[in-house]
Amino acid sequence: MRLPRDERRALLLAAALGAFSEKGYHATAMDDIAERAGVSKPVLYQHFDSKLDLYLGIARGVCDDVVAMIEAALASTPDNGERIGACLHGFFELVDRPGSGYQLVFDSDMGGEPAVAELLDGARRRCAELIGRVVQDQTALGWSECVLLATTLVGMAQSAARHWVESGSPLSRAHAADLVARLAWRGMGYVPQVEEGSDPGPRAAPGERPAPG
């Protein structure tokens, strides 16, 4: 049956994700992906120029999922402690979910490929900026400081979730995420806060230089 182009591409990406997850990127051939998708290799090449092109398609989807998860977590509540918890639970769920592609993309030696590295760096930057805006609203820090803290929070969440999965930790996913969220929240408590009712004054917005004092 002839599928619309977008549906066919989604089917091929799903087949590639399954093949790469089982055999690894380097050991997987285009023939393997075509067979798994139930199409001929010429059909596969009509949609993707190469195995790397397929991998990049998967990576884009996974990176967008990570950013969308952070956006949803930050929008889920006005309480910043609960926001941190939502982000941590989101990371743990994504890393643990079968077929999410997270480990294939973020824990792969393909990160040394320039096109892949650009996608990963872009996703981390987008997540850090989203969290950085929340930090900036609640603290007396400048934008560069907020991004630094946000980048640290993202890195901590990724490292903790990966360790929990790879070590086969006996802790439940919810308990592990709660532990890391408490650590992150207590650490944020030592950051200078904006006093209620006070005006923190002009601060640099994302992409702008601070105004001269």
Side-chain angles (χ1 to χ4, degrees):
M1 182 176 64
R2 188 175 182 84
L3 295 175
R5 182 173 179 81
D6 289 347
E7 291 184 28
R8 177 68 72 187
R9 283 179 62 88
L11 183 151
L12 296 175
L13 286 171
L17 173 58
F20 292 152
S21 297
E22 285 182 9
K23 300 177 64 175
Y25 174 83
H26 300 291
T28 300
M30 291 292 272
D31 287 314
D32 299 325
I33 298 168
E35 181 179 356
R36 192 181 188 100
V39 302
S40 65
K41 196 156 71 167
V43 169
L44 180 58
Y45 276 109
Q46 285 175 9
H47 295 270
F48 296 95
D49 294 335
S50 64
K51 189 169 67 169
L52 177 59
D53 194 22
L54 273 162
Y55 186 89
L56 289 172
I58 293 169
R60 289 187 193 95
V62 173
C63 288
D64 287 344
D65 286 345
V66 172
V67 175
M69 179 273 292
I70 291 294
E71 288 177 328
L74 296 178
S76 65
T77 172
D79 183 275
N80 285 331
E82 293 179 4
R83 279 172 165 168
I84 288 178
C87 288
L88 263 297
H89 280 272
F91 266 113
F92 273 75
E93 190 278 330
L94 196 61
V95 174
D96 190 40
R97 187 200 312 158
S100 71
Y102 183 92
Q103 295 184 66
L104 174 67
V105 172
F106 280 88
D107 297 335
S108 167
D109 61 359
M110 289 298 291
E113 176 69 35
V116 177
E118 183 178 355
L119 286 174
L120 300 184
D121 290 344
R124 295 187 185 102
R125 183 175 61 253
R126 289 156 67 194
C127 289
E129 288 177 352
L130 287 168
I131 297 173
R133 292 187 184 98
V134 174
V135 175
Q136 188 179 48
D137 287 343
Q138 300 297 320
T139 69
L141 300 177
W143 176 243
S144 295
E145 295 168 312
C146 293
V147 171
L148 175 62
L149 288 181
T151 301
T152 302
L153 289 173
V154 171
M156 180 170 63
Q158 290 179 310
S159 296
R162 184 171 65 181
H163 168 78
W164 176 79
V165 169
E166 293 178 351
S167 68
S169 173
L171 300 177
S172 71
R173 188 175 74 198
H175 183 48
D178 280 340
L179 280 174
V180 181
R182 278 196 222 106
L183 174 65
W185 181 237
R186 286 182 178 275
M188 288 298 294
Y190 288 95
V191 175
Q193 304 291 307
V194 175
E195 296 183 9
E196 188 174 352
S198 67
D199 180 5
R203 289 181 291 164
E208 295 180 351
R209 293 182 179 276

